[in-house]
């Protein structure tokens, strides 16, 4: 039997430690280079040293745990379809650029997106979205 891969969006990467029901995660978790970009920006976007350290730790853990899927030419072409779908739903594609690029990588690679923010991905034709929130433990 072959294990099923799935793409974790940035929210799922950040919340992995709170997952208590593993059914919400793919058998093989993948991330995109876009998630590494989003996590890389995090430490630079805060002036709080404790928060910066926490964000840096998340980035380093993700870099250690995953070999990111690149944003290749096929994903770049899929981005156009994602942007069109988002715009068609009245969403600002620029404000949701990371989500749109993550969705494009998922589409280009035939992967479902596992996320704690499923509304960010609704209405994108052909994209399977898995909500991880039901499998999370409450915040500590």
């Amino acid at each position: 039997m072959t294990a099923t891969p799935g793409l974790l969006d940035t929210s799922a990467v950040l919340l992995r430690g709170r997952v208590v029901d593993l059914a919400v995660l793919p058998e093989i978790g993948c991330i995109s280079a876009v998630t590494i970009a989003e996590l890389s920006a995090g430490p630079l976007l805060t002036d709080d040293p404790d928060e910066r350290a926490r964000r840096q730790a998340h980035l380093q853990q993700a870099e250690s745990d995953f070999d990111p899927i690149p944003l290749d030419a096929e994903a770049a072409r899929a981005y156009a379809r994602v942007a069109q779908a988002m715009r068609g739903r009245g969403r600002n594609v620029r404000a949701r650029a990371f989500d749109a690029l993550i969705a494009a990588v998922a589409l280009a690679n035939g992967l479902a997106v596992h996320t704690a923010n499923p509304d960010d991905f609704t209405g994108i034709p052909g994209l399977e979205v898995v909500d991880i929130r039901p499998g999370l433990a409450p915040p500590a």
Side-chain angles (χ1 to χ4, degrees), residues 18-34:
R18 287 189 36 214
V19 173
V20 292
D21 180 359
L22 296 180
V24 301
L25 295 177
E27 293 173 300
I28 300 172
C30 306
I31 66 169
S32 74
V34 177

Side-chain angles (χ1 to χ4, degrees), residues 5-112:
L7 191 70
L8 305 175
D9 84 331
T10 308
S11 69
V13 170
L14 293 172
L15 294 170
R16 283 185 308 154
R18 287 189 36 214
V19 173
V20 292
D21 180 359
L22 296 180
V24 301
L25 295 177
E27 293 173 300
I28 300 172
C30 306
I31 66 169
S32 74
V34 177
T35 291
I36 293 297
E38 192 170 7
L39 291 173
S40 293
L44 304 176
L45 299 176
T46 181
D47 292 328
D48 180 295
D50 292 333
E51 180 64 15
R52 183 178 299 113
R54 189 180 69 74
R55 291 178 184 188
Q56 185 66 36
H58 280 296
L59 168 62
Q60 290 173 323
Q61 189 66 55
E63 289 177 326
S64 173
D65 291 347
F66 298 99
D67 183 18
I69 298 170
L71 179 70
D72 60 11
E74 189 173 347
R77 287 188 292 278
Y79 174 80
R81 297 190 311 272
V82 171
Q84 178 185 31
M86 290 177 126
R87 177 173 268 180
R89 293 180 53 85
R91 305 198 62 201
N92 181 337
V93 178
R94 287 184 184 173
R96 308 297 328 160
F98 286 125
D99 295 331
L101 290 166
I102 289 168
V105 170
L107 285 171
N109 290 278
L111 300 171

